[in-house]
Amino acid sequence: MQRMPLAFGISRRIAVLLTLLFAISTTVSAQLSVSPLFSDHMVLQRHTKVSVWGTADPGATVNITLDNNSSSTTAFADGSWKAQLSEMPAGGPHTLTIEAGDESLTFGDVLVGDVWLCSGQSNMEWVVADANNADEEIASASDARIRHFKVPRSWAERPSTELAGGVWEVASPETVGDFTAVGYYFAKSLRKHVDVPIGLLNSSWGGSRIETWMSTSALDMDEQQVRAALADMESAQQQVIERIKRRAGELPANDPGLVDGNPLWAAPDLDTRNWHSVTAPGVWEQAGFDGMDGIAWYRKEFTLSEEDAASDVELGLGMIDDSDITWVNGHEVGRMDMAWNQPRMYAVSSKLLAPGVNVIAIRVEDTGQGGGIHGDPDLLYVKTASGTTSLAGDWQFQVGQAVVSAGSNVHDLPTLVYNKMIYPLLPFAIRGALWYQGESNAGDDTDAYAYRELFKTMIASWRKDWGRGDFPFLYVQLANFLASQSDPSECSWAVLRESQTEALALPNTAQAVIIDVGDADDIHPRDKQTVGARLATAARKIAYGQDVVHAGPTYSRHKVAGHRVTVLFENIGSGLVTKGDTSPRGFAIAGKDGRFHRADAAILGGRVTLESENVREPVAVRYAWACNPDTANLYNKEGLPAVPFRTDR
């Protein structure tokens, strides 16, 4: 046999080795994978074909099996693949297996039931742990047929098929605290009447405007306009960053005051000669840090006599926006999360105190808008056995971690959140959607009025994008908020509620009216149980066809006879009633001059009659038309509040 030259043999071995290395690298890059939506404990939609998708080696045959339900497909040249499983009834647990060549993925405890998308801003994102009766609700969470998937906050300049992450979790005392509270109480209430597993697909982002949840086509925009909006935002942010740097110096990316759980900036002997001086109460935006969210530290000294140091003291720190951890002499004495309107009053043990100088350190985390210590100066104090000393005035201040929003952020900008938090979900079959959003679009009457078309357009576009017809779309009308108004008043929140009601013109829609569960001082009502229960009642009617009264009294028409107005309602259920056993409140009428006056009202059967000594020839009616119409008290006997309205658009 002819002997090959040595160089040729080496070259051939190198070529073979390179081929093997290339094959290995190709295999790794084409590793079998699926969307994070497919994992242990997932809930799949019943009674419909279910899409499953992911990546594999180009050209590979992919086999998908859910117990006896199977399907196969071939991966495209880019490695992507999608297959469909046949319809299945509610049930489980099942096992989902996906195979491609020598690779396989197996997911257990899979249930088939109804999947509800939960979307919107902070009141949808609000978790069980921060809602009413949290300890009791968490301890009693035992329904393993309620599952929750939180889509991470994320955005993209153009539509992306890749979800940023997420995992399915089973409702239990260990997990439910992080569930969307509205979604969880919806599922908990619904499960009493619909015995199927419920999956909550939570894609929400606090502070977001409706436009960011809409596609470019729905907004009649193009990618160039999206890029321009991003560029404008980035330019504005850079200007704010430079201004804050001139005030505070370099802005740390990570908080140097708290490292691996160690509160370095709470140490009593910390050198603070380079710290700034700010006045408290007063949000830090008023102290030259406008446009900054994130983390900042406050420090202040107070002096105790020997006698006072021998007893416990009470520390009043005013209200802190949004969250705080507080130390005295380096020892933690209290903390509160996302409680921007609640005064901090912390008991400090005498064991932590010393005669002479003592040091308070507060780590404040702000997620948006105003940040820091605010409220009544009288709420800042040290109360000892011998008296009370004010803590209002100068405090030391240092930035721990800056997040610059410049009054705008990606979740304010059109289509960016849709591209990454809705678009990747579109192949996933759902039963319907729950929506709680609008506060960020209620800043003025123009925005609030524009919402009516935006909202209807968003609903229609989501239904078109999902390709599942007019699926049930249930939403929460804005709660009562800000100072209560006893007299008729103008408010953009009232206009936005009207815009939300307009969406009822679309098929398979319903709204939960909650003008009776809000909080004048808190944009985040803690009673999420009532909200979830009212949405569940709406779902029973709209999605499941049950014979229930799902809405409160809704304006139908009115008649004028002399100085009296008679208002007729739909959805009166078993009859009209008032809460508190009084006459109906919250009504106002106006004459031709357009000036509204409170009306005396009475229930006559399924109608309400109105009159006012100030209006002899009425032409228009309003009900619950205010930011906080908390005196409005008309209900049906099923306990659902009447829908706010006006007849003088």
Side-chain angles (χ1 to χ4, degrees):
M1 183 175 69
Q2 183 177 4
R3 189 181 181 92
M4 290 185 181
L6 181 61
F8 180 85
I10 294 174
S11 298
R12 174 142 188 177
R13 285 194 294 273
I14 291 174
V16 171
L17 180 60
L18 289 173
T19 300
L20 289 172
L21 288 173
F22 177 78
I24 292 171
S25 66
T26 301
T27 301
V28 171
S29 66
Q31 185 176 6
L32 179 65
S33 67
V34 290
S35 166
L37 289 166
F38 303 99
S39 67
D40 293 338
H41 316 305
M42 76 185 92
V43 179
L44 301 177
Q45 181 59 44
R46 61 176 173 148
H47 300 323
T48 189
K49 292 182 178 179
V50 172
S51 294
V52 184
W53 66 95
T55 60
D57 196 28
T61 298
V62 183
N63 297 306
I64 304 96
T65 303
L66 184 68
D67 290 351
N68 296 324
N69 192 348
S70 62
S71 180
S72 64
T73 189
T74 302
F76 294 106
D78 63 355
S80 65
W81 58 266
K82 183 167 73 172
Q84 282 192 328
L85 294 170
S86 301
E87 299 179 12
M88 292 185 68
H94 303 289
T95 299
L96 177 67
T97 302
I98 303 168
E99 298 176 327
D102 295 332
E103 298 179 281
S104 66
L105 299 170
T106 301
F107 304 111
D109 190 30
V110 178
L111 299 183
V112 178
D114 285 343
V115 178
W116 285 89
L117 174 70
C118 306
S119 191
Q121 58 180 108
S122 55
N123 272 307
M124 181 60 81
E125 196 172 32
W126 203 259
V127 295
V128 171
D130 292 328
N132 278 355
N133 305 320
D135 291 343
E136 179 182 342
E137 294 283 6
I138 290 171
S140 63
S142 58
D143 189 346
R145 292 166 78 81
I146 298 176
R147 310 285 174 92
H148 180 269
F149 183 100
K150 178 65 171 79
V151 177
R153 291 183 176 185
S154 49
W155 63 277
E157 187 175 325
R158 57 181 58 86
S160 170
T161 59
E162 296 183 6
L163 205 58
V167 63
W168 284 98
E169 293 185 309
V170 180
S172 72
E174 292 72 36
T175 62
V176 80
D178 292 327
F179 285 21
T180 160
V182 168
Y184 174 67
Y185 294 125
F186 164 82
K188 184 178 179 180
S189 180
L190 186 61
R191 290 264 300 131
K192 297 175 183 177
H193 307 279
V194 181
D195 187 20
V196 300
I198 300 294
L200 302 170
L201 189 52
N202 179 6
S203 185
S204 53
W205 190 332
S208 56
R209 289 177 62 89
I210 191 174
E211 294 91 337
T212 201
W213 295 99
M214 301 172 68
S215 65
T216 52
S217 60
L219 292 168
D220 196 22
M221 294 179 65
D222 56 35
E223 290 187 5
Q224 184 175 353
Q225 290 172 299
V226 175
R227 287 193 295 270
L230 267 173
D232 289 345
M233 183 196 74
E234 291 167 356
S235 175
Q237 287 180 341
Q238 190 57 42
Q239 293 178 28
V240 173
I241 289 171
E242 295 303 321
R243 175 167 49 78
I244 295 176
K245 280 183 176 180
R246 289 193 293 271
R247 176 82 167 86
E250 287 300 316
L251 303 178
N254 298 298
D255 181 12
L258 186 67
V259 179
D260 296 329
N262 186 15
L264 303 179
W265 286 2
D269 57 352
L270 182 71
D271 183 356
T272 59
R273 286 174 294 179
N274 293 326
W275 283 43
H276 309 278
S277 177
V278 299
T279 299
V283 292
W284 63 55
E285 283 80 358
Q286 298 172 344
F289 297 90
D290 187 36
M292 187 190 87
D293 302 325
I295 296 167
W297 289 70
Y298 290 76
R299 285 174 62 99
K300 191 176 183 69
E301 296 178 350
F302 64 96
T303 303
L304 296 176
S305 67
E306 254 188 69
E307 180 183 357
D308 285 339
S311 302
D312 297 349
V313 305
E314 181 179 277
L315 200 60
L317 300 174
M319 295 185 287
I320 296 178
D321 192 344
D322 294 296
S323 305
D324 76 290
I325 310 175
T326 299
W327 296 262
V328 172
N329 297 330
H331 300 279
E332 183 178 334
V333 297
R335 65 169 69 196
M336 293 182 72
D337 294 327
M338 298 301 295
W340 67 275
N341 67 329
Q342 297 186 37
R344 271 57 166 182
M345 291 176 287
Y346 298 140
V348 183
S349 170
S350 60
K351 297 177 182 179
L352 308 180
L353 302 171
V357 175
N358 294 261
V359 179
I360 305 168
I362 310 173
R363 182 182 188 265
V364 177
E365 184 169 4
D366 173 51
T367 60
Q369 300 180 338
I373 302 171
H374 66 104
D376 189 334
D378 291 340
L379 295 176
L380 277 81
Y381 60 83
V382 176
K383 184 182 292 184
T384 68
S386 62
T388 300
T389 302
S390 175
L391 293 174
D394 292 338
W395 284 66
Q396 292 179 302
F397 179 90
Q398 188 71 298
V399 176
Q401 183 178 4
V403 178
V404 176
S405 64
S408 178
N409 214 323
V410 290
H411 64 294
D412 294 326
L413 299 185
T415 205
L416 297 183
V417 172
Y418 170 90
N419 290 340
K420 195 67 175 175
M421 294 182 67
I422 295 297
Y423 189 82
L425 306 177
L426 295 179
F428 200 71
I430 61 173
R431 183 69 180 87
L434 309 179
W435 176 257
Y436 193 161
Q437 191 276 339
E439 298 90 342
S440 289
N441 288 80
D444 56 49
D445 284 358
T446 301
D447 255 9
Y449 195 85
Y451 194 89
R452 65 195 58 207
E453 292 306 320
L454 286 170
F455 191 29
K456 287 188 286 188
T457 299
M458 191 200 78
I459 295 171
S461 66
W462 277 18
R463 286 170 165 174
K464 178 182 177 182
D465 293 346
W466 247 283
R468 300 185 56 77
D470 292 334
F471 59 73
F473 195 101
L474 317 175
Y475 57 93
V476 183
Q477 193 186 67
L478 292 190
N480 49 310
F481 178 53
L482 301 174
S484 175
Q485 295 91 24
S486 58
D487 294 317
S489 60
E490 301 295 339
C491 178
S492 58
W493 277 55
V495 176
L496 196 130
R497 291 191 194 102
E498 179 183 67
S499 293
Q500 292 174 313
T501 300
E502 288 285 314
L504 295 176
L506 299 178
N508 292 332
T509 55
Q511 69 176 346
V513 175
I514 60 165
I515 56 171
D516 56 341
V517 299
D519 187 327
D521 299 317
D522 195 342
I523 202 169
H524 303 117
R526 303 304 169 105
D527 180 3
K528 298 296 194 257
Q529 288 91 335
T530 299
V531 182
R534 288 178 181 171
L535 285 171
T537 300
R540 291 173 60 195
K541 177 71 172 183
I542 302 299
Y544 299 99
Q546 297 182 5
D547 186 15
V548 295
V549 177
H550 75 291
T554 306
Y555 171 83
S556 173
R557 63 190 187 279
H558 70 278
K559 304 175 183 177
V560 178
H563 65 278
R564 179 172 295 176
V565 180
T566 301
V567 183
L568 291 81
F569 292 89
E570 300 173 345
N571 300 319
I572 63 174
S574 303
L576 297 176
V577 295
T578 59
K579 182 175 286 189
D581 196 28
T582 62
S583 59
R585 297 175 181 171
F587 284 94
I589 57 177
K592 293 179 181 179
D593 62 1
R595 296 177 59 187
F596 280 87
H597 300 269
R598 276 185 289 175
D600 296 323
I603 296 173
L604 291 178
R607 307 177 179 191
V608 174
T609 61
L610 309 171
E611 57 184 292
S612 170
E613 62 181 13
N614 297 309
V615 183
R616 305 315 298 168
E617 296 182 7
V619 298
V621 182
R622 291 183 176 184
Y623 173 72
W625 194 265
C627 288
N628 186 357
D630 63 355
T631 60
N633 65 346
L634 184 66
Y635 291 73
N636 55 30
K637 288 184 178 179
E638 284 70 20
L640 297 174
V643 181
F645 71 89
R646 63 175 172 174
T647 66
D648 59 306
R649 299 191 182 186

